[in-house]
Amino acid sequence: MSKENVETKEGINALGAKAAYNLANVTKTKPQYGALTPKWLTKLLEFKGLETGIFRVNKVVEGETPLDVLCSQTKKSDIIPDGYVEYETEPREYKLNSISTIINVNTAIEDVYSAPYDQVQEQLGLAIESLRERQESQLINNDDYGLLKNIADSQRIQTRNGAPTPDDLDELISKVWKEPSFFLAHPRAIAAFERECTKRGVPPVTVNIAGGTFLAWRGIPIIPTDKLLVDGLKNPQSEGGKTNILLIRTGEAKRGVIGLFQAGLKNEHSRGLSVRFRGIDDKGVASYLLSLYCSAAILADDAIAVLEDVEVGEYYDYD
């Protein structure tokens, strides 16, 4: 027996761990991608499938009272008011944007090293998660259809003192009072709001929706996302910084905010996402094209509001 395979320590004369390791089965995980998030926005937002990648939002040109009506127990006139409801002549149209990437897989590697995990499926899985991460970011920050860029001026408010207070969130609710669905905020902003609630002795409760547990204010869940940036960063290193908090009503029936996707895609993998096999080159490398089509629409101005310039760096000493 080789001396290298024998461990002599404190009187133990036995096979060493280094040699024994060569005979052991190793239990392993799938590839762990630290940049992935729960992507709650895309889970909670109502989505509408499109036939041709174009969505037109037809709106009514209305005032406080769109039509005159006759409403009286004793008629002052026998003439019933008449008229019609005017539509916008140039409604806004949304066109789906595409987010794409190509994944290459060496077929020799796939053949030899695909147990217990299939190399193609793991590569595609991580790529799809990356596309979904970009989708959530674009829904919030895209220069064309992003929610932050399309909030009406009348729906934008400022914090009273910098840090997000219960009064500030109440003001948001007053802007989106018709069946608000959820707040959306960076985790640092949520922590800042918790501190303000603790300072005032009004800790928020928690609610369980869509398989997650969230803080809630006035019964409305506060959903976390790192796509609402703090000073332009997902993971700011400084103690302070400024961000935004959104309040959203979602659903087409509620004239709310909806996500858009292309329905019935060829080689559809999941909502709005196609995965196409592009072939194998003369070096044995297989490639796959992944394309995700998405956009978002605000059906009514009062479907969304934003609390701007939210300071996340206020801390307190509690007695």
Side-chain angles (χ1 to χ4, degrees), residues 62-314:
E62 58 182 299
E64 289 298 319
T65 307
L67 284 175
D68 289 329
V69 296
L70 182 63
C71 182
S72 175
Q73 184 176 4
T74 303
K75 293 184 178 181
K76 297 180 179 179
S77 170
D78 292 332
I79 301 175
I80 298 176
D82 63 351
Y84 65 96
V85 179
E86 182 65 275
Y87 303 150
E88 287 183 347
T89 57
E90 297 182 2
R92 179 171 179 179
E93 291 188 346
Y94 296 83
K95 295 182 179 180
L96 294 180
N97 283 23
S98 65
I99 306 172
S100 302
T101 190
I102 293 175
I103 291 295
N104 295 325
V105 179
N106 186 333
T107 55
I109 297 297
E110 176 190 357
D111 291 342
V112 177
Y113 298 106
S114 284
Y117 299 114
D118 186 285
Q119 294 291 349
V120 172
Q121 294 305 314
E122 296 306 319
Q123 287 286 300
L124 291 177
L126 292 175
I128 289 169
E129 288 297 317
S130 297
L131 290 180
R132 293 294 184 191
E133 289 287 333
R134 180 61 63 87
Q135 177 189 23
E136 185 175 71
S137 179
Q138 292 297 298
L139 288 173
I140 296 172
N141 300 301
N142 185 275
D143 288 334
D144 177 33
Y145 63 83
L147 299 183
L148 280 177
K149 305 291 184 179
N150 288 280
I151 299 173
D153 291 341
S154 61
Q155 297 293 102
R156 297 177 181 272
I157 61 175
Q158 300 288 315
T159 59
R160 286 166 171 76
N161 301 301
T165 66
D167 291 339
D168 292 323
L169 266 61
D170 283 345
E171 188 70 17
L172 270 183
I173 295 173
S174 75
K175 294 290 187 180
V176 189
W177 60 271
K178 303 173 187 175
E179 301 181 89
S181 301
F182 55 88
F183 294 99
L184 193 67
H186 191 280
R188 291 281 300 275
I190 297 175
F193 176 67
E194 285 187 273
R195 292 193 294 271
E196 295 300 320
C197 290
T198 301
K199 178 184 177 183
R200 291 161 174 77
V202 287
V205 299
T206 59
V207 294
N208 296 296
I209 58 172
T213 301
F214 308 97
L215 291 179
W217 182 248
R218 308 297 190 194
I220 305 170
I222 307 174
I223 307 301
T225 176
D226 62 355
K227 313 308 185 301
L228 274 169
L229 308 178
V230 177
D231 286 348
L233 301 172
K234 289 184 180 181
N235 300 300
Q237 300 302 311
S238 61
E239 189 175 90
K242 290 187 176 181
T243 184
N244 301 297
I245 295 177
L246 301 179
L247 178 57
I248 296 171
R249 176 177 72 247
T250 186
E252 184 177 8
K254 298 178 180 179
R255 299 178 69 239
V257 177
I258 60 173
L260 306 173
F261 71 97
Q262 181 62 36
L265 284 171
K266 185 178 180 180
N267 304 113
E268 185 177 59
H269 176 276
S270 54
R271 185 180 63 201
L273 173 68
S274 71
V275 178
R276 287 186 173 91
F277 176 60
R278 301 176 68 239
I280 302 175
D281 67 13
D282 55 5
K283 295 182 180 179
V285 175
S287 68
Y288 300 82
L289 172 64
L290 286 69
S291 299
L292 175 63
Y293 300 91
C294 63
S295 187
I298 300 172
L299 303 185
D301 287 350
D302 65 0
I304 186 170
V306 60
L307 179 65
E308 298 179 318
D309 295 326
V310 174
E311 176 57 56
V312 301
E314 292 289 340

